[in-house]
Amino acid sequence: MEEEVKLLGAWPSPYSYRVLWALSLKDIKYEYVEEDLSNKSDLLLKYNPVYKKIPVLVHGGKPISESLVILEYMEETWPQNPLLPQDPYDRAMARFWAKFGEDKSPIFMAIFITVGEEQEKAAKEAKEQLTILEEQALGEKRFFGGDKIGLTDIVLGWLAGWLDVIEEAAGLKLLEAETFPRLHAWVQRFKEVPGIKEQLPDRDEMLVYYKQKREMLIASVTP
Amino acid sequence: MAESEIKLLGAWPSPFVMRARIALNIKSIDYEFHQEKLGSKSQLLLESNPVYKKIPVLIHDQKPICESLIIVQYVDEAWSSGPSILPSDPYDRAIARFWAAYIDDKWFPSLSGLAKAQGEEAKKAAMDQVREGFLLLEEAFGKCSKGKDFFGGDRIGYLDIALGCFLGWLRVSEKMNGVKLLDAAKTPGLAGWADKFCGDDAVKDVMPETDKLTEFAKILFQAKANAPPPAN
C-alpha cells in the first residue's frame, strides 16, 4: 500500500526545489505544504525540532530533514529514475561533488550579503569554485551525473535557477559564458530537462524577492 | 578476485581518519596505511585530493575517495558481503545520515570551538554548546539503539563511527579544561555507549590513547601559537 508523502517547503528556497525536482523526476504523488518561515507551523516545529527548517519530507507520517538526507532516502525508497549510479566509486564521486557544492555555498552567499571590497573578494573566491566545478566536476559530460541528471545536478541546480537572479540583485556577474562555457551550457541543458523545467521558480518574482533582500542587507551594513 | 590495492592516507591523531579505519576494520580489509607528517603534505595526498588536500583519502585500485563519511559509505557499498555499516531500513539510514550530518555541521564545530575559545566566558559558552549537543544525541541514541549497545544496534555502525571517532579528543578537552563534558548523570546512554565503543574490536587499535593525544595537542597548539600570522 502506498503511504502518504508530504513535503514542507518554502518558496523560493533552492533546498525545497531539490526535493520537488526529485519528486517530479521519480513521478511520486505528494502533498505540498508551503511554510511561512516568519511564522513556522507547529507541524514544522514538530517534524524538525533540531533545525526548524525546510525542506522536510514526511513519508507515512515519518519525517526526514536535510535535503541531502532526503534525496538519499528518496533514492532508496523509490528507485525508479535513479539519481545515483550503481557503481560504488561513481556513487562516491557523485556524493563528493554534491558535498563540495554544499560546503562552498556560503562563498556564493557571501557575494549577496557583502558590499565593496568584501564583495570583490567573495566574487574572486566564488569564481575559483566555479572553475573547479567546470574543470573537475563537470568536464566534458553533459550533466554532472553523466548522460542524465543525477544527485549532483540536483544539488547544484541552484546555479541554474538562482545564481543569475542573485547576480543581478547583487550587481555582479560570476558565471560568464566565455569564462565558464561548460557550466553555462549545463545551465541551459538543466533547465530543459523534463521534470525540472516545469518546476523552476518564476524569474521575475524571484528578482523582486532577492532585490528586496539585497536592499535590506545593504541598509543594515551601510553606516 | 585478484588482490586489490588499498591504501589509506591519514594520520593517527585524526578522528576523520579513524572513521575510515574503523570502517575498513569492520569489513576485515587489509590496507596500507600512509602516515602523513604534521605540517607537510605528501605528493600522493596532493595528487589524490587536489580539491581539499586533506586526509583521509582512501585509494582503492588507484582510484581516490575523499571525505570521511563518503569513504565510510563507499567501504560499506564496495564490500557489501561484509557486516553492514549503515542500517538496512531506508528510514533508519536517513536517521543515521541526519545525525551524522548534525555531528559534522554542529556538534564537532562546538568541540573545536572549545579548543579555540579564549577566556573563561567563551570557554563556558563553548562547553555549554557541547553539552547541549550531547543532550540531543542522548535522545537520538535512545531512539536508534532501541535498548541495544550501539546506535547501530548490536554492532557498531555508521552513526557510532561518526560520533565515536571524537571520543579521544573529547577526553583531551575534558582533561585540559578540568571538566566533564560527557556526563554519565546527564547522558547515561551515551556514557555507557562511549566505553563500549572504545572497547570494540574494530575501534580499540585505532583509538589513540588520551595521554598520547594530549601530548600531541600541546605540540599542535604550540605550533599554531608560534606560527607567523597567515599572509592576507
Side-chain angles (χ1 to χ4, degrees):
Chain A
M1 185 181 80
E2 250 181 59
E3 285 180 309
E4 190 188 83
V5 177
K6 199 182 282 204
L7 171 65
L8 277 63
W11 185 91
S13 162
Y15 302 98
S16 209
Y17 273 85
R18 287 174 182 173
V19 185
L20 285 169
W21 291 331
L23 288 164
S24 180
L25 291 164
K26 289 180 179 283
D27 200 20
I28 298 163
K29 289 196 186 21
Y30 63 98
E31 183 199 328
Y32 179 74
V33 177
E34 173 75 21
E35 281 286 329
D36 173 1
L37 297 178
S38 63
N39 184 18
K40 295 179 180 179
S41 73
D42 288 339
L43 207 61
L44 174 58
L45 300 176
K46 176 179 103 164
Y47 283 144
N48 191 359
V50 175
Y51 295 111
K52 305 173 178 57
K53 281 181 167 181
I54 54 93
V56 180
L57 186 79
V58 189
H59 184 206
K62 296 195 283 193
I64 302 117
S65 309
E66 294 294 284
S67 61
L68 276 133
V69 176
I70 294 171
L71 290 172
E72 295 259 12
Y73 174 79
M74 289 177 70
E75 181 67 358
E76 291 167 3
T77 308
W78 295 283
Q80 69 269 24
N81 295 337
L83 301 173
L84 281 169
Q86 292 283 47
D87 175 71
Y89 182 75
D90 295 336
R91 290 162 78 88
M93 288 315 294
R95 287 175 175 138
F96 176 84
W97 289 115
K99 186 162 194 292
F100 174 85
E102 276 303 80
D103 288 349
K104 302 299 175 182
S105 61
I107 297 175
F108 291 90
M109 282 312 107
I111 64 145
F112 189 72
I113 63 174
T114 53
V115 293
E117 248 190 70
E118 255 197 273
Q119 193 193 45
E120 276 171 39
K121 188 163 169 256
K124 186 166 172 284
E125 265 196 81
K127 285 186 185 176
E128 282 166 20
Q129 312 315 315
L130 288 176
T131 305
I132 294 174
L133 287 173
E134 166 101 0
E135 293 173 5
Q136 296 184 49
L138 185 60
E140 300 307 321
K141 299 184 298 215
R142 282 175 55 76
F143 296 103
F144 289 95
D147 291 324
K148 289 192 294 111
I149 69 167
L151 180 85
T152 313
D153 298 89
I154 291 181
V155 174
L156 292 171
W158 74 272
L159 288 170
W162 281 252
L163 181 60
D164 74 313
V165 174
I166 287 169
E167 285 169 340
E168 195 175 326
L172 47 62
K173 195 96 187 97
L174 292 178
L175 214 171
E176 290 142 325
E178 317 81 59
T179 323
F180 303 105
R182 296 171 189 143
L183 276 178
H184 182 80
W186 169 81
V187 164
Q188 313 318 311
R189 231 175 266 136
F190 181 81
K191 294 203 279 197
E192 286 301 311
V193 172
I196 304 288
K197 76 191 245 192
E198 305 85 356
Q199 292 269 23
L200 285 167
D202 182 88
R203 197 187 190 278
D204 295 331
E205 282 174 28
M206 273 217 289
L207 191 57
V208 169
Y209 175 87
Y210 282 108
K211 274 190 166 160
Q212 265 174 18
K213 279 207 170 275
R214 176 74 179 162
E215 272 160 33
M216 276 161 52
L217 273 154
I218 294 189
S220 70
V221 300
T222 316
Chain B
M1 189 171 86
E3 199 180 281
S4 52
E5 201 185 72
I6 304 162
K7 290 188 172 98
L8 183 69
L9 310 185
W12 66 267
S14 162
F16 302 101
V17 170
M18 201 190 317
R19 287 173 171 175
R21 300 189 84 173
I22 295 169
L24 291 163
N25 286 349
I26 287 172
K27 304 275 187 182
S28 303
I29 295 163
D30 285 322
Y31 62 98
E32 241 176 69
F33 184 65
H34 288 237
Q35 171 82 6
E36 289 286 320
K37 287 200 287 268
L38 175 66
S40 79
K41 292 175 199 240
S42 71
Q43 195 55 36
L44 185 57
L45 175 58
L46 296 174
E47 280 167 12
S48 312
N49 191 357
V51 175
Y52 292 111
K53 307 176 177 53
K54 280 181 168 179
I55 48 160
V57 180
L58 181 73
I59 307 178
H60 185 196
D61 290 337
Q62 278 143 50
K63 294 193 287 195
I65 302 109
C66 309
E67 295 293 288
S68 63
L69 291 178
I70 293 177
I71 292 172
V72 172
Q73 287 181 92
Y74 173 80
V75 169
D76 201 27
E77 291 174 2
W79 285 274
S80 53
S81 55
S84 294
I85 296 175
L86 271 134
S88 45
D89 172 72
Y91 190 72
D92 293 338
R93 291 160 76 93
I95 296 300
R97 287 186 169 119
F98 173 86
W99 286 111
Y102 168 82
I103 287 160
D104 278 359
D105 296 344
K106 299 285 176 215
W107 187 82
F108 175 65
S110 69
L111 185 67
S112 49
L114 173 55
K116 296 179 189 139
Q118 304 280 0
E120 284 312 303
E121 247 187 72
K123 280 199 189 288
K124 184 175 184 304
M127 284 188 235
D128 285 344
Q129 274 201 325
V130 172
R131 289 180 177 128
E132 272 162 36
F134 272 142
L135 289 175
L136 282 179
L137 289 165
E138 173 81 4
E139 212 188 304
F141 178 73
K143 291 194 182 139
C144 294
S145 64
K146 301 179 177 95
K148 301 202 172 154
D149 287 345
F150 302 108
F151 285 94
D154 289 317
R155 286 182 298 102
I156 66 170
Y158 186 75
L159 189 47
D160 300 278
I161 295 173
L163 183 59
C165 66
F166 296 114
L167 289 170
W169 279 101
L170 179 72
R171 286 170 179 162
V172 169
S173 283
E174 288 178 329
K175 201 166 155 178
M176 287 175 90
N177 288 289
V179 292
K180 201 99 189 83
L181 293 168
L182 181 52
D183 189 344
K186 298 207 171 84
T187 52
L190 283 181
W193 162 82
D195 288 335
K196 296 203 176 84
F197 180 83
C198 292
D200 188 272
D201 282 338
V203 175
K204 57 186 200 250
D205 293 336
V206 295
M207 176 69 78
E209 287 158 20
T210 312
D211 291 337
K212 200 173 167 201
L213 204 56
T214 308
E215 281 315 301
F216 174 82
K218 289 183 180 154
I219 296 170
L220 185 68
F221 295 143
Q222 200 53 47
K224 285 194 173 160
N226 291 343
N232 255 30

